[in-house]
Amino acid sequence: MEISIQNLDSIREAAREFIQHIGEARVFAFYGKMGAGKTTFVKAICEELGVEDVITSPTFSIINEYSLTSHLLPLTSSSIYHFDFYRIKKLEEVYDMGYEEYFYSGALCLIEWPELIEEILPDDAVRVSITEQEDGSRIVSF
């Protein structure tokens, strides 16, 4: 599946389309170069799902938890977990934070920089690639 994001004005529409294709999946690994728009797209997804919290990159905290106020998806949790593993130096850091409790909770998990924890991603994690095009648009493929 591919979704085109022509500009920032169309990102919410792209997020809605992405949500329509989530299905039963709960763990999404977002791949893309620095500046590709991973955090911006995750923010749009969260906003479209009804998150009212301030949505920011968890670069320093590694994980942010957002509360869902509406249930557009049949989730077993009222939380969304947003991870950014960019600053992880050793996989042991992820073990120490208890990643299993998040990844296998049934909550929606949105992961940036998953290539740094590839070996512990759940087998059913959906790999999402965000690629910047020459014209500045983005292609989201999964």
Side-chain angles (χ1 to χ4, degrees):
M1 173 80 195
E2 282 192 354
I3 299 171
S4 178
I5 303 172
Q6 294 304 312
N7 52 48
L8 277 177
D9 293 336
S10 66
I11 197 163
R12 295 284 294 263
E13 181 181 327
R16 281 191 296 276
E17 186 174 349
F18 181 84
I19 291 165
Q20 291 172 357
H21 292 91
I22 283 179
E24 298 296 316
R26 293 297 171 256
V27 179
F28 293 85
F30 289 85
Y31 295 84
K33 293 180 180 178
M34 181 74 73
K38 296 179 296 293
T39 301
T40 305
F41 191 59
V42 166
K43 179 179 179 184
I45 292 167
C46 291
E47 289 171 346
E48 286 300 313
L49 287 172
V51 170
E52 294 178 359
D53 302 325
V54 175
I55 303 163
T56 60
S57 174
T59 300
F60 294 101
S61 62
I62 300 175
I63 180 172
N64 286 345
E65 179 179 2
Y66 308 123
S67 297
L68 286 171
T69 56
S70 65
H71 290 281
L72 299 175
L73 294 172
L75 298 173
T76 58
S77 172
S78 61
S79 295
I80 293 177
Y81 297 111
H82 178 195
F83 300 85
D84 185 334
F85 290 117
Y86 182 74
R87 296 196 181 279
I88 292 294
K89 292 181 180 30
K90 299 182 295 187
L91 201 54
E92 288 76 27
E93 294 174 61
V94 183
Y95 287 116
D96 290 345
M97 67 178 269
Y99 78 93
E100 301 100 332
E101 291 180 36
Y102 301 105
F103 289 4
Y104 300 101
S105 67
L108 195 59
C109 294
L110 308 173
I111 304 167
E112 295 184 51
W113 299 102
E115 49 271 73
L116 300 174
I117 62 150
E118 193 76 38
E119 63 193 74
I120 62 170
L121 280 176
D123 292 338
D124 62 350
V126 177
R127 275 111 173 121
V128 181
S129 177
I130 301 178
T131 309
E132 184 176 6
Q133 305 301 295
E134 286 184 24
D135 64 0
S137 66
R138 304 319 198 250
I139 300 292
V140 178
S141 51
F142 56 100

